[in-house]
Amino acid sequence: MRIALLTYSTKPRGGVVHTLALAEALAAAGHDVTVGTLGRGGDEVFFRTVDPRVTMQVVPFPDASPDETVGERIVRSIEALRAGLDLSGFDVVHAQDCISSNACEGAVRTVHHLDTFTTAQLVACHDRAVLEPAALVCVSRSVAAEVLTSYDRSATVIPNGVDAARFTDAAGDGAPAVAARAAWADRLGRYVLAVGGIEPRKGTIDLLRAYDLLRTRGHDDVTLVLAGGETLFDYRPYRAEFDALVRERGIPVTELGVVDDPSLPALVAGAAAFSFVSTKEGFGLAAMEALAAGVPVVARDLPVLREVFGDTVAFAGDVDGIADALESALRDPADPLPGRALATGYSWTAAAAAHVALYDQLLDRSGGAPIGRIRSGAVPA
């Protein structure tokens, strides 16, 4: 089967990580897979090495004026993908996000989570990307239920895979793993880690306030470390609020930015605790990787995270709760074995097989006609 998986960036965001892992698993199963994306910031390749069995289409996406609005950037992204991708000859086109979905017609779309926008242009793009695709996939039952309630559309639930061995190995006793963790410890000391950047959906300010409470309780020997940060959206007001709180309270924070992919497992495995206090999530891949590394996880108390993680993480609903859960994790870490077992149970091989079963159903229904194509006209206003 010839399959095109589409994403919006070459940077290490959750949807991009998902797309690459799924593409590699599909290629390993013998399918002809191409990943199409935008080369942001001059990128010509993805943030990590990709299995050579996967073909790449990286569409150039030059930087624009600093005055470009988020809405304008989104529409320009959609139009760049629409103009730059060659989707001829594919049996199935599968868009992994709102941007790539809007560049297509009649494709499959994975809804990782539902967003909330206030700008009419962004609301329209978001809604089209749920209402127009030929079929929807969600990575959890909770998100599928939200889609059904909000849009009256049913989705096939296919959980993420997890590259658990990569993170379990990083926590192991072998000399390379020990040295890699020690290098982070030398640089950071003992640390609480969050991955994903400083943005409202990640709940970063709640984490900052919780960490400030920890310091007042005698945990000032623990560093707060933030990794990641690439995003399409303009979070400058949120960032300004974060920075103001850091200054006013004198809170020490270490920002690493985007961490090289080979270095990430050791960074995760070396953490004393992992914070995952997002206000919206679809599955929680980063937290699952932390569990695979044996690191205690504190997660926002959301239905989707209750569904995915069960009792393998500590849940918290507010700043005080996050501080309490982090303090417990630091003082008396939970048994890592149940979390590791959970993470190991999710495989990209199984995820790929479930996707192929869906693709086969759609092709049977269409009589073999291709599923998905480039949008025939410009994106509607």
Side-chain angles (χ1 to χ4, degrees), residues 87-233:
L87 298 183
S88 57
F90 288 100
D91 298 302
V92 176
V93 175
H94 188 160
Q96 295 289 333
D97 50 75
C98 176
I99 288 172
S100 58
S101 181
N102 271 270
C104 299
E105 293 176 333
V108 182
R109 158 85 200 284
T110 294
V111 182
H112 293 273
H113 60 84
L114 292 176
D115 283 306
T116 302
F117 296 114
T118 55
T119 305
Q121 195 174 42
L122 297 180
V123 170
C125 284
H126 181 269
D127 289 349
R128 277 195 303 271
V130 180
L131 292 170
E132 289 187 356
L136 300 178
V137 173
C138 290
V139 294
S140 61
R141 295 190 305 274
S142 297
V143 175
E146 288 183 58
V147 169
L148 182 62
T149 299
S150 300
Y151 293 93
D152 196 27
R153 290 210 63 183
S154 295
T156 300
V157 177
I158 305 176
N160 277 328
V162 181
D163 190 356
R166 184 169 178 244
F167 289 83
T168 301
D169 290 347
D173 296 331
V178 171
R181 295 197 306 273
W184 283 115
D186 289 345
R187 178 178 173 183
L188 302 170
R190 192 171 185 231
Y191 58 95
V192 170
L193 177 66
V195 174
I198 298 170
E199 56 184 83
R201 186 174 73 83
K202 295 299 182 181
T204 321
I205 289 178
D206 281 356
L207 171 58
L208 182 68
R209 293 184 182 280
Y211 172 68
D212 192 32
L213 281 177
L214 280 182
R215 293 171 63 237
T216 68
R217 299 176 185 178
H219 293 281
D220 51 2
D221 61 323
V222 180
T223 305
L224 175 61
V225 176
L226 306 178
E230 201 276 338
T231 181
L232 286 176
F233 299 105

Side-chain angles (χ1 to χ4, degrees), residues 82 103-105 373-378:
R82 188 174 77 90
C104 299
E105 293 176 333
R373 58 194 174 275
I374 285 292
R375 184 178 287 276
S376 56

